[in-house]
Amino acid sequence: MKVIRIADEFRRWCADGRDNGKSLGFVPTMGALHAGHMSLVKAARDANDLVAVSVFVNPTQFNNPEDLRTYPRTEEADLALLEAAGVDAAFVPSVDQMYPEPDTRVFDLGPVAEVMEGKMRPGHFNGVAQVVSLLFRMAMPTRAYFGEKDFQQIAVIRRMVELEGFSLEIVPVPIKREDDGLAMSSRNVRLTPAMRDAAPAIHRVLSQAVDYARSHTPAETTAMVEREINAVDGLETEYFQIVDGTTCLPISDWAESAAPVGCVTVYAGDVRLIDNIKFI
Ligand code: PAF
C-alpha cells in the first residue's frame, strides 16, 4: 500500500489509475478506523480496480474546538488495517496540504442541511462539503463510499456533488453494529464502562419504534423514543426526528414519505452518539 501525504502526489496517483483505464473506489475517513469503516473499504474493494482511503481529521467541520481536540487519532493502527484490507493507497494529508489557503466557500446546500445535524452543528455540513469536494477534485473517483450512520451527511454530499457537477457514484453502506446493537463509531472509545453499558439502549429503542410506528403517528413514535431513551440512566436525547429519507425533512404523517427514517442524537455523558433506523 502506498502512503501518500502530499496532495499533488495523490492527484497524480489517481490520474495514473484513470489513464490506465482503472476504476477507483474512494473512502474518505477521519481515521480512528473500526469495523464500520472497514465495511466501506470492503465494499470499495469488491467493486473497483483500485481503492484509495483518505485519513484526515477535517478542522472545518468541527464547530466545537474541544470535539476537534479530543477526536481520536490512531494513524499507525489505521494504516495497518488499511494495508491488511488490500487498500492500494492511503492519503494522509496535513491541514496545510488540504488547505494551503483558508477555504471560504459557502455551499448552497439547501433545506437538507438546515435540519437535525445542520441545526445543532452550525457550519458542520459546509465544512464536510468543503473537504469532500476538495478530496473529490483530487481523486476524481469512480465511486465514493459513505456509511449510513451519518445518514444526513449522505444527503448533503449528494447535494454538493450536484452543485459541483462531479460525475461519480455515491455508494451508501449500511450501519455496522456491535453485537449488542450499538452503532460502531470512532467516538465509542470515549465511552466510560457505565456509558458503554447504557448505549445499546439507543438501537434497542429505535428497533422497538419500528413496531410501535405500525399503530402510532410519527409524533407519538417520536415521544415514545425520547421517553424510553431518556429513561435510561446516563442517556439524554438531543433530538429524535422522523424525516423523509431523501429530503431529510420532517414528516408528520407516514403517508408523506415512501422511505421514512428516524434519526437520533444522544449524549452519553459528554459523548455525542448518532444513530438512525429505517421505518420501511
Ligand atoms: O464521515 C466522516 O468521517 C467525515 O465527515 C468525512 C466524510 C470523512 C469528511 O471529513
Side-chain angles (χ1 to χ4, degrees):
M1 180 178 78
K2 216 169 155 53
V3 178
I4 303 174
R5 295 183 189 273
I6 306 297
D8 275 339
E9 222 177 283
F10 182 53
R11 227 175 258 121
R12 236 182 352 259
W13 184 88
C14 296
D16 282 351
R18 260 195 320 279
D19 292 349
N20 288 320
K22 309 255 191 217
S23 59
L24 173 64
F26 177 51
V27 185
T29 80
M30 296 207 298
L33 303 180
H34 49 67
H37 295 108
M38 299 320 286
S39 70
L40 307 186
V41 172
K42 182 172 185 322
R45 185 67 288 167
D46 288 349
N48 299 278
D49 299 320
L50 294 173
V51 175
V53 177
S54 61
V55 175
F56 177 64
V57 181
N58 172 38
T60 74
Q61 72 187 73
F62 285 82
N63 53 333
N64 174 348
E66 190 55 14
D67 197 18
L68 173 60
R69 198 183 63 77
T70 57
Y71 199 85
R73 288 160 170 88
T74 57
E75 185 185 306
E76 208 177 311
D78 291 348
L79 293 178
L81 280 174
L82 296 178
E83 172 112 56
V87 167
D88 298 292
F91 178 46
V92 193
S94 63
V95 173
D96 287 349
Q97 282 295 314
M98 281 310 294
Y99 299 108
E101 275 150 37
D103 192 340
T104 53
R105 291 173 300 159
V106 178
F107 289 82
D108 176 17
L109 297 171
V112 83
E114 283 161 18
V115 293
M116 301 191 292
E117 293 299 277
K119 202 165 175 177
M120 295 299 164
R121 304 177 69 190
H124 167 67
F125 282 134
N126 197 64
V128 170
Q130 287 175 337
V131 76
V132 176
S133 72
L134 291 175
L135 289 165
F136 282 0
R137 278 186 200 173
M138 289 175 200
M140 300 218 280
T142 317
R143 301 179 186 85
Y145 295 78
F146 294 89
E148 283 190 331
K149 184 171 75 63
D150 296 298
F151 191 83
Q152 193 178 2
Q153 173 171 275
I154 297 179
V156 166
I157 287 168
R158 285 191 196 283
R159 169 76 180 148
M160 179 279 289
V161 163
E162 184 184 304
L163 290 170
E164 296 283 283
F166 287 118
S167 159
L168 52 87
E169 187 189 343
I170 299 291
V171 184
V173 178
I175 299 176
K176 189 101 179 150
R177 298 185 179 280
E178 303 288 355
D179 288 345
D180 58 14
L182 177 64
M184 289 188 182
S185 162
S186 304
R187 291 192 162 92
N188 292 354
V189 296
R190 295 189 48 232
L191 293 169
T192 62
M195 293 305 165
R196 178 64 189 80
D197 284 348
I202 300 168
H203 178 60
R204 198 164 56 241
V205 174
L206 291 183
S207 303
Q208 287 162 5
V210 175
D211 274 343
Y212 191 84
R214 294 187 222 285
S215 51
H216 295 84
T217 64
E220 288 164 344
T221 307
T222 300
M224 183 284 262
V225 168
E226 289 181 343
R227 188 176 62 241
E228 293 300 318
I229 291 180
N230 290 327
V232 178
D233 232 13
L235 299 186
E236 195 179 333
T237 54
E238 185 176 56
Y239 64 79
F240 172 72
Q241 255 184 18
I242 298 173
V243 300
D244 174 68
T246 305
T247 64
C248 287
L249 296 182
I251 60 165
S252 52
D253 191 304
W254 297 113
E256 284 170 34
S257 173
V261 179
C263 298
V264 74
T265 299
V266 179
Y267 275 97
D270 66 344
V271 183
R272 192 171 183 273
L273 300 173
I274 69 173
D275 203 344
N276 61 73
I277 197 123
K278 293 178 183 171
F279 282 94
I280 289 178

